[in-house]
């Protein structure tokens, strides 16, 4: 039997980058995957490939900033596969800038997606996990919250807020029902830079990711490692960065 054949995993931001790589890897390991995101055309392409490889995948349009849509997303997993074992909160944006640039709309987007989106996922999944007697929250955080650098202040702030919330929830959840995992990637070859409005900064980040960035599957392997543990083992925090990243 495939190692994750009994797992149902819902993944936000599954149309590209880390979310897509995670969906493909977990499906190959036998998990049923629910692909969530706003770009359903991209999700459909990923799901088609997974099914062609004899995997199980369904697509669900979801905006993580909407509490009701996140509840619908979790409900889709339960309706399609009878349960939800793991929620991978991967959706995120990073329109980074100097704070004195006063990019308030970008700040709001990062708070809404990176922080509120995770909270909406927790709110949606907890009732299902509680009823089942177990569940696992895996959240993609960032090394930006570990090493604070200029232009990353608000982005890192949202990621550190999530890290704090997960640690508090871990301490509240020592009854053996819930597990939490925070994975902090460094440079990864994703579409992270696409939301940056400053042309020069976007080009700089794009070049850095192209030369230093890890393949997204490196992070997907970490997700698989965390999920494929005996239930009494919790992988709380993982940091993954290129060996050449300062």
């Amino acid at each position: 039997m495939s190692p994750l054949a009994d797992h149902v995993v819902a993944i936000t931001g599954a149309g590209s980058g880390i979310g897509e790589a995670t969906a493909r890897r977990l499906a190959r390991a036998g998990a049923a995957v629910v692909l969530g995101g706003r770009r359903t055309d991209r999700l459909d392409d990923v799901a088609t490939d997974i099914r062609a490889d004899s995997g199980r995948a369904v697509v669900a349009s979801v905006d993580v900033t909407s509490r009701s849509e996140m509840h619908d997303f979790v409900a889709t997993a339960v309706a399609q596969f009878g349960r939800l074992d793991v929620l991978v909160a991967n959706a995120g944006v990073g329109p980074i800038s100097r704070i004195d640039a006063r990019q308030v709309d970008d700040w709001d987007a990062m708070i809404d997606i990176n922080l509120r989106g995770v909270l909406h996922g927790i709110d949606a999944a907890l009732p299902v996990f509680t009823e089942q007697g177990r569940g696992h929250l895996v959240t993609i955080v960032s090394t930006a919250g570990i090493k604070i650098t200029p232009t990353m202040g608000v982005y890192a702030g949202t990621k550190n807020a999530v890290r704090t919330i997960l640690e508090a929830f871990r301490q509240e959840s020592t009854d053996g029902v819930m597990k939490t995992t925070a994975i902090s990637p460094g440079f990864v070859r994703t579409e992270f830079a696409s939301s940056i409005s400053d042309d020069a900064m976007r080009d700089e980040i794009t070049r850095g990711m192209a030369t230093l960035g890890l393949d997204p599957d490196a992070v997907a392997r970490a997700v698989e490692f965390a999920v494929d543990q005996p239930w009494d083992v919790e992988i709380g925090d993982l940091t993954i960065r290129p060996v050449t990243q300062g």
Side-chain angles (χ1 to χ4, degrees):
M1 178 180 291
S2 300
L4 300 182
D6 61 342
H7 283 59
V8 178
V9 183
I11 306 162
T12 63
S16 65
I18 293 169
E20 176 185 351
T22 298
R24 292 180 184 275
R25 173 165 285 277
L26 297 189
R28 287 195 299 272
V33 293
V34 184
L35 312 181
R38 292 180 292 186
R39 299 178 295 181
T40 54
D41 56 333
R42 299 281 291 272
L43 299 173
D44 286 336
D45 289 343
V46 177
T48 297
D49 288 348
I50 288 172
R51 295 184 196 118
D53 197 31
S54 302
R56 296 173 292 163
V58 298
V59 168
S61 174
V62 62
D63 179 347
V64 299
T65 68
S66 167
R67 188 187 311 173
S68 63
E69 288 192 22
M70 277 303 298
H71 277 264
D72 290 344
F73 179 53
V74 168
T76 295
V78 176
Q80 291 288 327
F81 298 112
R83 60 185 293 111
L84 175 64
D85 299 289
V86 183
L87 175 63
V88 180
N90 166 71
V93 294
I96 60 174
S97 63
R98 289 174 55 95
I99 291 174
D100 58 13
R102 299 172 58 209
Q103 298 291 330
V104 179
D105 288 343
D106 289 344
W107 300 350
D108 287 345
M110 286 185 279
I111 292 167
D112 287 344
I113 296 172
N114 301 352
L115 176 53
R116 286 197 179 95
V118 172
L119 288 170
H120 290 164
I122 293 172
D123 176 58
L126 273 181
V128 174
F129 290 168
T130 301
E131 183 177 354
Q132 292 172 171
R134 66 173 52 184
H136 192 170
L137 295 165
V138 178
T139 305
I140 307 303
V141 196
S142 174
T143 56
I146 298 172
K147 180 181 179 180
I148 309 302
T149 59
T151 76
M152 293 277 190
V154 177
Y155 176 72
T158 62
K159 293 299 187 176
N160 273 339
V162 169
R163 186 176 280 109
T164 299
I165 289 164
L166 290 178
E167 173 57 18
F169 184 63
R170 183 194 69 78
Q171 294 183 40
E172 295 170 0
S173 306
T174 56
D175 56 0
V177 174
M178 308 290 178
K179 296 204 291 189
T180 65
T181 300
I183 298 178
S184 296
F187 284 128
V188 182
R189 296 193 298 275
T190 69
E191 298 176 359
F192 175 86
S194 63
S195 62
I196 301 173
S197 56
D198 182 276
D199 291 342
M201 187 175 298
R202 183 174 60 250
D203 291 345
E204 179 183 351
I205 295 295
T206 299
R207 285 193 300 271
M209 287 186 165
T211 56
L212 295 176
L214 297 171
D215 188 299
D217 187 61
V219 185
R221 289 198 302 272
V223 176
E224 181 181 21
F225 172 73
V227 169
D228 187 25
Q229 294 293 323
W231 186 253
D232 61 345
V233 176
E234 179 180 62
I235 306 298
D237 292 278
L238 282 171
T239 301
I240 304 166
R241 60 169 68 92
V243 294
T244 53
Q245 180 177 335

